[in-house]
Amino acid sequence: MSSVTLTRNRAWLQEYGVYLAVAVLVLFNVVFTENFLSAANFRTQLVQAAPVCVVALGMALVIGTEGIDLSVGSVMSVAAALIPLYLGAGPLTAVIVAVIAGLVSGLFSGFLVAHLGIQPIIATLALLVGGRGIALVIAHGQLVQLHNPDFLALGTGDVLGVPIMVLVAGVLAVLTGFLVQRTTFGRQLVAIGGNRAASTLAGLPVKRVLVGVYVISGALAAVAGILATARLGASDPNDLGLLMELSAITAVVVGGTPLTGGRVRVLGTVFGALLMQLVNATLIKHDLPASAAQMVQAAIIVAAVYVARERSSR
Amino acid sequence: MTTVVTTTAPVLEVAGVTKRFPGTLALDDVSFALRPGEVHALVGENGAGKSTLIKVLTGVYQADEGEVRHLGEPVTFKRPIEAQQAGISTIYQEVNLVPLMSIASNVFLGREPRTRAGLVDWSTMNSQARELLAGYGIHDDVRRPLHTLGVGAQQMVALARAVSTDAKVVIMDEPTSSLEPREVETLFEVLNRLHASGIAIVYVSHRMDELYRVCDSVTVLRDGRVVHSGPLAGLPRIELVSLMLGREIRQIREEGVTAFGEEHEVEKEPLLKAENLSGARRLHDVSVSIRPGEVVGLAGLLGSGRSETARAIVGAFPLDGGSVLLAGKPLKRGRIAAAVRAGIALLAEDRKADGIIPNLSVRENIVLAALPRLSPFGLIRKSKQDQIVRIFMERLRIKAASPDQKVSELSGGNQQKVLLARWLATGPKILLLDEPTRGIDVGAKAEVQALIDELAQEGLGVLLISSELEELIDGADRVVVLRDGGVVGELSGDAITEENVLAAIAAEGDNDV
């Protein structure tokens, strides 16, 4: 194979590899896994992928600006910790408060990155460490069982046969896609990731866009925290969202968004989240331990980054 | 330079090389021979295939057909290091060194002298570097980080590095584009030495004066083909230009060297007034005014504060003092977005670093700055966007496969046009053009010059920065001369001549810092 065809194949793989991988895994499971084709199983897979998918959408935007948001898992736990405190005032109030907490967290990270010029990895690392601390203080380190049926419906309910969690993730994905493709904000964030100096000189509101991106990521992480808490039926600030930042980054990268910024692939990110979920499910159904799933995930990440290598170096 | 014996066998040769890229034939049956001790000019418009040919010679690309011969033997350089090991060094337009490492370390990168214990022998390395660089006019402390040198000096370091690696062939891609005249002289001295010691040089440049001064022979590429190859002396300039352009000589004579027309109708009241701009020890009380319909040239050597002045006007250069007024209203300092909204556009000098967004399409690069206007409530209206893109691609004759093509795949000239389109789409009142024709092919250059003329006629105020005197002399209605960050002279009308500009630049100043 000449180097040109190799490059072209790689480009193709980065573009469509994640869809191919999901298709292959689905086919494999249809043939080799019992009950895979059942509706119940489909629901389970999608519902389990939903929180990661929601977080990854925000992560994809941040990565598009050549940034990274490590705080998402901790923001989820803050959201979870706040819910039992405000559930008395109604599920809507609790959800709103939790989302506001996510917005504020994003505002904080965004301020550090955009206005103080702190590197994203450091700025959001601060909140990764501090955020969970705050969550534990709010919740006094306790796991709280939740009983409000309206709130729990977010995690277990259906609308027209579609699980609410899946619906929420789907709507958010469509909105994110619209944001990236059809709004000035979306085009500006991609341009900033592609060449920040040029974007600044072109008069783009660089700081505002950067803050906006982290705010969106924070809000989406809070939504994921709400959904995961509702599904769990309990507020668990200790464990909720642990290592979520890594799962989200994996979904984004596997979905074909380069870590070097300047490009955001929303559908790819959704499929990246699905792929990682399917890998886990497949291995578990075939009685392989969770450690095996981790190793397979590692292999997929390396493959995705390898495929992306040539393009980003251009 | 003196003529050399051309009967010696070529040190490097390509025969019948063809190179294809998706959608384009970059090199079409190209043959080219380089003999020891020869300075060989490689010229052609952008997109003619010069860069591709260089990349084939240096192992970055492999030829699809034909062969590369090194000392008569067919070779295939699979990667750049193999070409380097064969004694072929390349100095690129952008310096490819490590900015944070010391000057000496950069010279010896990868082949540092060692002590007996196998550690880097710093004192030997530093003294060797010092000695070597003195021959290139660099007398700075070699322990300083490379980035503390000016771009020109960095390029000299790159050259010193290349030559000291026992290069037999040195390929120079527009080596003088970022050099000051003094540095250019040093470079030519170095070239003379290399020439005398039998090193073959491939010299890529757009500057006619230089070519005729230093080159023995010339190969002209056009559309991926060799249209001429032979000795340079005896080939009239006008014929060389016509070979590059593929136009009739008569036509060029009629049109003159640059594409600028007559002077413009200029209104009396300045549209933009920049007053007493000072900052960062690089600007001292610079005042410039631009009237509607006027092209104001900014002349001066590298580092004289030309780019800084332009950047300061839009707020991209930190100022300690001074003010910018547009139509009598002061602009807030350091607010680029506000300046852009008010109608000031800066075409930055460094196309790659400060201009294009490489992985976005031509369309997206064009609409980038104008996007907010085309998008009520932040929602992009596709039809409006496509219309703008179509208008400017046609008007500036941007050559791209489609508006969806990545801008990084275009030639330099077309990238520059995309950037001009980006600014024109914002409907600016003031255009600040920092070296708008640097490093672009002759054809695109003429088009850009004609466009500047046209825009001034339409009533825009233009600030034109150029290192090419003829561009300023032909293009500007008024020329402001800068030296060491201060204004040292202003010429207008018939007083704008090469001698006067040079005299102003070279005059003994009393405001030297």
Side-chain angles (χ1 to χ4, degrees):
Chain A
M1 232 187 317
S2 82
S3 69
V4 174
T5 43
L6 200 71
T7 310
R8 228 184 277 160
N9 286 342
R10 252 205 223 129
W12 189 90
L13 269 180
Q14 193 192 3
E15 205 72 34
Y16 305 108
V18 68
Y19 309 122
L20 182 74
V22 168
V24 168
L25 257 184
V26 168
L27 270 179
F28 174 87
N29 279 301
V30 167
V31 178
F32 294 105
T33 309
E34 263 177 72
N35 297 329
F36 182 80
L37 268 183
S38 71
N41 178 57
F42 251 81
R43 287 174 62 104
T44 312
Q45 298 305 326
L46 291 175
V47 163
Q48 285 185 348
V52 181
C53 178
V54 170
V55 174
L57 290 170
M59 186 69 77
L61 299 182
V62 175
I63 287 178
T65 64
E66 217 180 343
I68 199 130
D69 188 353
L70 297 184
S71 70
V72 287
S74 295
V75 172
M76 285 176 73
S77 80
V78 171
L82 286 169
I83 284 165
L85 298 185
Y86 291 89
L87 211 46
L92 187 64
T93 312
V95 164
I96 289 173
V97 169
V99 170
I100 289 175
L103 291 169
V104 171
S105 310
L107 205 59
F108 175 73
S109 303
F111 177 78
L112 294 185
V113 171
H115 291 271
L116 300 188
I118 297 175
Q119 292 188 348
I121 195 165
I122 304 300
T124 58
L125 183 65
L127 206 54
L128 163 74
V129 177
R132 195 165 294 272
I134 293 170
L136 292 176
V137 169
I138 294 172
H140 305 293
Q142 298 294 310
L143 183 141
V144 184
Q145 293 289 341
L146 302 175
H147 304 289
N148 184 315
D150 288 339
F151 181 76
L152 295 181
L154 280 178
T156 49
D158 281 12
V159 174
L160 302 171
V162 183
I164 291 177
M165 284 179 78
V166 175
L167 208 62
V168 171
V171 168
L172 288 174
V174 170
L175 286 178
T176 309
F178 183 82
L179 184 77
V180 170
Q181 292 300 330
R182 299 301 294 272
T183 67
T184 48
F185 178 85
R187 298 330 290 161
Q188 287 172 341
L189 89 83
V190 172
I192 290 166
N195 187 342
R196 188 153 166 188
S199 301
T200 308
L201 282 178
L204 267 53
V206 174
K207 288 177 183 169
R208 211 164 66 211
V209 171
L210 284 178
V211 171
V213 159
Y214 285 90
V215 166
I216 292 172
S217 176
L220 288 175
V223 169
I226 294 163
L227 294 179
T229 299
R231 178 157 174 82
L232 199 64
S235 160
D236 179 9
N238 274 299
D239 289 340
L240 189 82
L242 272 181
L243 296 182
M244 179 56 94
E245 58 283 347
L246 297 185
S247 308
I249 294 168
T250 305
V252 173
V253 171
V254 168
T257 299
L259 280 173
T260 44
R263 192 151 193 255
V264 177
R265 295 185 20 114
V266 175
L267 191 61
T269 300
V270 172
F271 272 76
L274 280 177
L275 177 65
M276 298 326 261
Q277 170 59 31
L278 275 177
V279 167
N280 272 337
T282 308
L283 294 173
I284 289 165
K285 287 218 168 129
H286 290 269
D287 293 329
L288 285 158
S291 51
Q294 285 167 344
M295 283 184 267
V296 172
Q297 285 187 355
I300 293 176
I301 294 171
V302 171
V305 174
Y306 173 76
V307 164
R309 194 182 57 111
E310 193 75 10
R311 302 202 101 203
S312 52
S313 70
R314 235 202 279 172
Chain B
M1 268 176 204
T2 50
T3 12
V4 274
V5 194
T6 47
T7 48
T8 42
V11 55
L12 191 64
E13 197 179 0
V14 294
V17 161
T18 295
K19 178 75 191 170
R20 286 182 198 89
F21 291 110
T24 50
L25 186 58
L27 292 178
D28 183 6
D29 192 21
V30 165
S31 298
F32 165 81
L34 185 67
R35 295 185 167 76
E38 174 187 41
V39 182
H40 197 125
L42 188 60
V43 297
E45 293 195 43
N46 275 355
K50 289 174 310 199
S51 316
T52 312
L53 179 56
I54 290 175
K55 285 180 177 167
V56 169
L57 289 175
T58 53
V60 179
Y61 297 151
Q62 285 76 44
D64 294 336
E65 282 161 37
E67 59 181 25
V68 179
R69 296 191 202 114
H70 179 240
L71 299 169
E73 297 289 317
V75 284
T76 315
F77 299 130
K78 286 199 196 68
R79 44 183 80 88
I81 186 76
E82 293 179 15
Q84 275 170 37
Q85 279 159 356
I88 300 167
S89 279
T90 317
I91 320 283
Y92 291 101
Q93 260 165 298
E94 291 96 15
V95 179
N96 280 326
L97 296 173
V98 192
L100 287 174
M101 286 173 69
S102 79
I103 299 170
S105 313
N106 270 290
V107 173
F108 289 101
L109 197 64
R111 51 194 180 94
E112 295 85 354
R114 303 275 167 177
T115 60
R116 243 176 256 145
L119 302 173
V120 174
D121 184 350
W122 291 100
S123 59
T124 309
M125 187 166 93
N126 287 337
S127 66
Q128 282 182 4
R130 202 172 302 125
E131 214 170 291
L132 178 71
L133 289 173
Y136 292 81
I138 292 172
H139 304 282
D140 299 81
D141 185 347
V142 295
R143 291 166 301 183
R144 269 170 46 193
L146 180 80
H147 69 88
T148 59
L149 292 181
V151 182
Q154 290 190 27
Q155 212 156 24
M156 286 295 178
V157 173
L159 181 59
R161 171 183 164 75
V163 175
S164 68
T165 53
D166 284 327
K168 294 286 177 289
V169 174
V170 178
I171 300 170
M172 298 185 182
D173 192 359
E174 297 214 37
T176 57
S177 60
S178 48
L179 298 188
E180 294 179 27
R182 185 173 43 82
E183 292 171 320
V184 172
E185 288 308 315
T186 316
L187 177 75
F188 288 171
E189 279 167 34
V190 173
L191 280 181
N192 258 321
R193 286 211 305 272
L194 299 181
H195 182 72
S197 59
I199 291 174
I201 295 162
V202 177
Y203 194 90
V204 179
S205 176
H206 290 115
R207 298 185 177 174
M208 293 287 142
D209 287 334
E210 281 172 29
L211 295 180
Y212 277 91
R213 199 169 149 198
V214 301
C215 298
D216 307 304
S217 42
V218 63
T219 293
V220 184
L221 288 174
R222 193 170 71 223
D223 302 329
R225 286 188 189 167
V226 175
V227 293
H228 178 84
S229 197
L232 186 60
L235 179 70
R237 280 189 188 208
I238 196 120
E239 204 169 317
L240 179 58
V241 173
S242 84
L243 280 168
M244 291 163 67
L245 285 175
R247 288 203 283 178
E248 290 296 317
I249 291 175
R250 192 170 37 82
Q251 193 186 351
I252 295 172
R253 280 222 175 89
E254 276 166 10
E255 287 173 11
V257 188
T258 61
F260 290 111
E262 293 299 298
E263 276 158 41
H264 314 110
E265 286 288 318
V266 174
E267 287 179 34
K268 292 253 162 57
E269 268 312 294
L271 178 59
L272 180 120
K273 275 166 86 172
E275 287 171 333
N276 306 317
L277 304 177
S278 298
R281 296 215 206 131
R282 280 155 70 187
L283 285 183
H284 309 283
D285 282 329
V286 172
S287 299
V288 179
S289 64
I290 307 169
R291 287 173 287 196
E294 184 182 36
V295 178
V296 178
L298 262 193
L301 302 177
L302 226 111
S304 60
R306 297 172 310 181
S307 298
E308 288 82 354
T309 302
R311 292 178 84 98
I313 291 173
V314 292
F317 183 80
L319 286 178
D320 305 325
S323 59
V324 178
L325 296 132
L326 185 72
K329 276 186 227 141
L331 289 177
K332 261 197 182 161
R333 225 188 260 166
R335 299 288 292 274
I336 303 175
V340 169
R341 234 174 295 129
I344 304 180
L346 168 67
L347 184 76
E349 181 182 14
D350 192 332
R351 205 160 47 228
K352 222 171 179 176
D354 295 332
I356 61 166
I357 318 280
N359 43 5
L360 292 191
S361 66
V362 170
R363 173 192 298 119
E364 287 173 308
N365 269 282
I366 289 177
V367 296
L368 185 70
L371 210 48
R373 286 163 198 239
L374 307 178
S375 318
F377 309 109
L379 302 179
I380 296 168
R381 282 174 56 199
K382 274 207 159 157
S383 57
K384 186 92 182 156
Q385 171 186 275
D386 288 345
Q387 185 193 349
I388 295 272
V389 169
R390 195 165 353 99
I391 289 172
F392 284 103
M393 283 186 75
E394 269 170 30
R395 174 162 183 198
L396 302 189
R397 279 186 272 169
I398 295 168
K399 276 181 217 143
S402 83
D404 293 316
Q405 193 178 7
K406 266 192 185 183
V407 76
S408 53
E409 291 169 1
L410 302 190
S411 71
N414 280 306
Q415 288 182 1
Q416 190 73 306
K417 288 184 189 172
V418 166
L419 295 178
L420 272 166
R422 176 192 290 172
W423 286 119
L424 295 182
T426 64
K429 299 188 184 88
I430 294 284
L431 262 182
L432 312 172
L433 307 174
D434 196 350
E435 300 280 8
T437 64
R438 174 187 281 179
I440 67 178
D441 59 87
V442 186
K445 194 167 176 167
E447 288 181 73
V448 169
Q449 289 168 343
L451 180 72
I452 293 171
D453 235 28
E454 204 180 307
L455 293 169
Q457 266 155 22
E458 287 170 17
L460 265 73
V462 180
L463 184 76
L464 176 64
I465 297 175
S466 177
S467 297
E468 287 184 38
L469 274 185
E470 61 192 21
E471 201 162 83
L472 290 179
I473 290 161
D474 288 4
D477 303 303
R478 193 151 58 85
V479 173
V480 175
V481 183
L482 293 179
R483 187 175 64 228
D484 297 328
V487 176
V488 293
E490 188 171 322
L491 303 163
S492 57
D494 293 338
I496 309 177
T497 63
E498 201 166 320
E499 297 84 60
N500 287 347
V501 175
L502 283 175
I505 292 174
E508 290 285 325
D510 46 9
N511 69 335
D512 284 79
V513 197

